[in-house]
Amino acid sequence: MPLAFSASQALHLPVERQPGALGTYLNDEERVIGALLDPSQLTPLGNGRYRYTVTQLQVFQLQIQPVVELVARRSPGRIELEAVDCELEGLGLVDDFRLTLQSWLQTGNGGLVGEAALGVSVSRPSLLRLIPANVLEATGRSLLAGILLGMKTRVGQQLVNDFESWCQNQPAALSPATPG
């Protein structure tokens, strides 16, 4: 019987400087994806597709490194990111690993709002057969929640910093009015 676990994280992030420019910023897909994820682990594949090598994870005695193919979709003031494929590097013991990611980020109420849901379904590796399934699933939920919390922290720091930098380099039309 496969193990299945999931986690989700909501985001409500006020942006103090130029929140009205957030919609235009979110249209710069590659820049936003590079600010959301670690650019050193991200490879653009073209046409809104990306390959992301997740930081190596250790679960009990197993070390795994998921490599996820992501698709980005944009609409005015909104960007969505979905995992469409995933492989596990360094783990030949699992035949049926499946990862799902559905996330979105959009402008709203003077800032950014969003949500990410991450799920995994996997057969139990023989190395972990002696550990009860409920312990493995609780560990999996905790691991996914930690990944999502890291993403939320990155949005709150790196994405906002990148947005502020982007605003400074935009034409005067996006800059705040200076008193005369």
Side-chain angles (χ1 to χ4, degrees):
M1 183 167 112
L3 301 169
F5 37 93
S6 61
S8 62
Q9 184 72 247
L11 173 76
H12 301 280
L13 181 67
V15 175
E16 294 177 18
R17 295 189 182 149
Q18 301 186 37
L22 282 167
T24 304
Y25 171 75
L26 290 178
N27 284 331
D28 192 344
E29 177 186 300
E30 281 195 30
R31 182 173 188 136
V32 171
I33 300 297
L36 287 171
L37 303 170
D38 184 341
S40 69
Q41 297 169 251
L42 186 66
T43 306
L45 302 174
N47 295 327
R49 296 178 90 79
Y50 301 84
R51 179 169 288 118
Y52 187 66
T53 304
V54 179
T55 304
Q56 193 171 50
L57 307 168
Q58 182 157 346
V59 181
F60 297 103
Q61 299 299 318
L62 300 175
Q63 288 191 353
I64 57 173
Q65 186 163 35
V67 178
V68 183
E69 187 171 331
L70 302 166
V71 171
R73 295 179 187 91
R74 288 176 295 148
S75 57
R78 181 179 172 107
I79 190 165
E80 298 175 14
L81 203 55
E82 177 184 6
V84 293
D85 194 19
C86 183
E87 308 172 357
L88 287 181
E89 289 188 353
L91 185 63
L93 307 170
V94 174
D95 297 326
D96 61 347
F97 177 81
R98 181 175 140 93
L99 179 137
T100 58
L101 169 69
Q102 295 282 333
S103 64
W104 57 270
L105 187 63
Q106 70 183 30
T107 61
N109 297 338
L112 293 168
V113 294
E115 187 172 358
L118 187 58
V120 169
S121 173
V122 63
S123 62
R124 188 183 322 190
S126 57
L127 186 64
L128 302 179
R129 296 248 184 234
L130 297 177
I131 299 172
N134 62 339
V135 171
L136 291 173
E137 289 173 351
T139 301
R141 281 191 301 276
S142 176
L143 182 66
L144 295 182
I147 290 170
L148 290 176
L149 184 58
M151 289 173 67
K152 182 178 183 176
T153 300
R154 188 165 180 88
V155 169
Q157 294 172 354
Q158 179 63 30
L159 185 80
V160 171
N161 289 342
D162 186 67
F163 170 68
E164 290 177 358
S165 173
W166 176 86
C167 284
Q168 291 174 358
N169 295 317
Q170 292 307 299
L174 289 177
S175 298
T178 53

